[in-house]
Amino acid sequence: MLLLPPLEWTKPAFASTVRDLLSLTTLSGGSAAASVTGNLLIVLIWLCCWLLLGGVFLIQSHLSGSRSFSLSPSAVVNSAPAFVQPYLRLMRLDKPIGTWLLYLPCTWSIALAAEPGCLPDLGMLALFGTGAVLMRGAGCTVNDMWDKDFDKQVTRTASRPIASGEISQFQALVFLGGQLSLALGVLLCLNYYSIALGASSLCLVITYPLMKRITYWPQLVLGLTFNWGALLGWSAVRGSCDWSVCLPLYFSGVMWTLIYDTIYAHQDKEDDVKVGVKSTALRFQDQTKLWLSGFTAAMMSGLVVAGVSAQQTLPYYAALTAVAFHLTHQIYSVDINKAEDCWKEFSSNRNLGLLLLFGIVAGNFWKKSKETAEK
């Protein structure tokens, strides 16, 4: 029987290897910029190798009956070399819910653009998934650079790598440049229309963190930013946007973000008041559930319009019904004065987004069977 090396033997060797790579990438007399560039390379190499090794160790665990190995996000970060971990945490790789919420509107759009009876383009889904990880990481880096002084004053964010001093502003800036460069590489795999459309979202990514200083509606700006994929996914598949589908889908995504991020903002409302940060949670206060109900009605209306324009079928509208029930339960069961409850309901939005995606895919197959029956 083939015996695979245990994880404990592999990690030191791997860490030594990536440190050797770091020394190769530290040019110009060991400049800080080159060093951070090397760290970015190591982060990416670690992720790729960790996933590869993860597959090997899963096989080993299965053969040996062991259940100790984990591919959870926190395990990925904790298993990385110590000097890589702050960069992974800066990307929020240990908290992937934000990446899901950025990625899901892309999947809706890609799935709606699929031909009747066909699955969504798997290559596009993979490409947009990669882009979501990179752009969410870039967005978090920008956010933490802007909010360093605020984060130090808030218990939940004081341990973030920049606020705690693990990563300097300059290192974060170079790391941001690396992430955006890789994201540009992903974007350049798309058609010219989509490249221009995707590049136009960059100003939103950079300016969003400033909005909490200016307006009580930063969640609206986040919605405009996070749901850009609802436009980009369709154009990547079809070559350009069908605005009769894309605009109501984008609008619905923005409303969805207002719902989940207002719930999220209630975790920090006391600290936000102390440091002078604004949010919809502070704007709505005790009227939060009434406002969120209105956003839910607007979201569902937009999804109905998008479905009609895309000629969706029964499974899609059945999924919309389930989504509406999910949102209603989420809004009226959450205790906005308990941070743990806010986090729980906020995190449940990944399942909501997946539910809608499955509805779109099933609707496409129903559409094909319906066309076949009519012939």
Side-chain angles (χ1 to χ4, degrees):
M1 179 184 293
L2 176 64
L3 296 178
L4 302 174
L7 182 60
E8 288 74 14
W9 299 352
T10 306
K11 280 179 59 180
F14 176 69
S16 174
T17 300
V18 294
R19 285 193 178 92
D20 291 342
L21 285 170
L22 175 59
S23 67
L24 293 174
T25 57
T26 307
L27 307 175
S28 306
S31 69
S35 178
V36 178
T37 303
N39 283 348
L40 173 62
L41 176 63
I42 289 171
V43 168
L44 297 171
I45 292 172
W46 173 258
L47 289 176
C48 293
C49 291
W50 209 97
L51 289 173
L52 179 61
L53 290 172
V56 173
F57 292 125
L58 283 175
I59 294 171
Q60 178 179 347
S61 297
H62 177 72
L63 292 175
S64 64
S66 170
R67 291 289 182 268
S68 60
F69 185 73
S70 172
L71 278 172
S72 68
S74 58
V76 172
V77 173
N78 293 333
S79 297
F83 63 96
V84 174
Q85 290 183 26
Y87 292 96
L88 299 182
R89 286 191 283 109
L90 183 60
M91 295 176 70
R92 308 287 198 276
L93 200 68
D94 55 332
K95 297 178 180 177
I97 179 61
T99 302
W100 276 109
L101 296 175
L102 177 62
Y103 179 52
L104 283 164
C106 306
T107 68
W108 302 343
S109 191
I110 292 169
L112 281 170
E115 294 296 327
C118 295
L119 287 169
D121 188 319
L122 298 182
M124 282 295 176
L125 290 176
L127 200 62
F128 274 73
T130 303
V133 172
L134 291 168
M135 287 307 297
R136 197 263 179 136
C140 290
T141 303
V142 171
N143 183 79
D144 288 6
M145 290 175 69
W146 282 120
D147 289 353
K148 179 183 73 169
D149 294 331
F150 287 150
D151 287 346
K152 290 178 180 178
Q153 303 175 58
V154 177
T155 303
R156 188 177 60 82
T157 60
S159 61
R160 287 178 176 175
I162 298 177
S164 65
E166 290 181 274
I167 295 176
S168 70
Q169 288 276 38
F170 179 72
Q171 288 173 319
L173 181 62
V174 176
F175 187 62
L176 172 64
Q179 291 174 90
L180 291 176
S181 298
L182 292 171
L184 176 62
V186 172
L187 186 62
L188 292 176
C189 295
L190 307 180
N191 56 62
Y192 290 125
Y193 182 101
S194 299
I195 291 172
L197 182 63
S200 65
S201 69
L202 191 57
C203 63
L204 287 171
V205 174
I206 294 172
T207 58
Y208 156 69
L210 291 174
M211 293 300 108
K212 66 187 75 172
R213 296 163 171 81
I214 300 170
T215 176
Y216 281 100
W217 292 85
Q219 280 71 25
L220 176 60
V221 182
L222 179 66
L224 295 172
T225 307
F226 250 49
N227 293 281
W228 205 257
L231 307 176
L232 194 58
W234 183 286
S235 72
V237 175
R238 296 290 185 95
S240 63
C241 285
D242 181 342
W243 296 110
S244 68
V245 177
C246 294
L247 278 182
L249 185 66
Y250 181 58
F251 171 78
S252 295
V254 173
M255 295 298 104
W256 184 42
T257 302
L258 278 167
I259 296 166
Y260 66 66
D261 208 54
T262 297
I263 293 173
Y264 180 86
H266 271 282
Q267 296 179 102
D268 299 327
K269 55 190 174 186
E270 293 179 3
D271 288 321
D272 287 349
V273 170
K274 292 177 184 176
V275 300
V277 169
K278 300 177 175 66
S279 72
T280 48
L282 295 178
R283 171 66 178 81
F284 302 155
Q285 297 188 26
D286 291 339
Q287 298 296 311
T288 290
K289 295 190 177 186
L290 182 61
W291 279 92
L292 297 189
S293 298
F295 297 146
T296 297
M299 175 185 175
M300 300 312 300
S301 298
L303 290 174
V304 169
V305 172
V308 170
S309 298
Q311 299 180 322
Q312 269 293 337
T313 53
L314 182 62
Y316 173 80
Y317 296 105
L320 291 194
T321 303
V323 165
F325 278 115
H326 188 295
L327 284 171
T328 301
H329 177 269
Q330 183 182 148
I331 291 168
Y332 287 97
S333 66
V334 66
D335 185 342
I336 59 175
N337 296 311
K338 288 186 178 179
E340 300 83 2
D341 205 39
C342 289
W343 175 259
K344 175 186 173 184
E345 298 301 335
F346 164 75
S347 300
S348 73
N349 281 279
R350 183 197 66 169
N351 296 338
L352 183 151
L354 290 171
L355 179 62
L356 180 56
L357 173 61
F358 294 148
I360 295 170
V361 173
N364 273 348
F365 280 104
W366 184 283
K367 191 189 304 184
K368 179 65 175 180
S369 64
K370 198 175 175 185
E371 289 179 359
T372 303
E374 288 174 355
K375 289 179 182 178

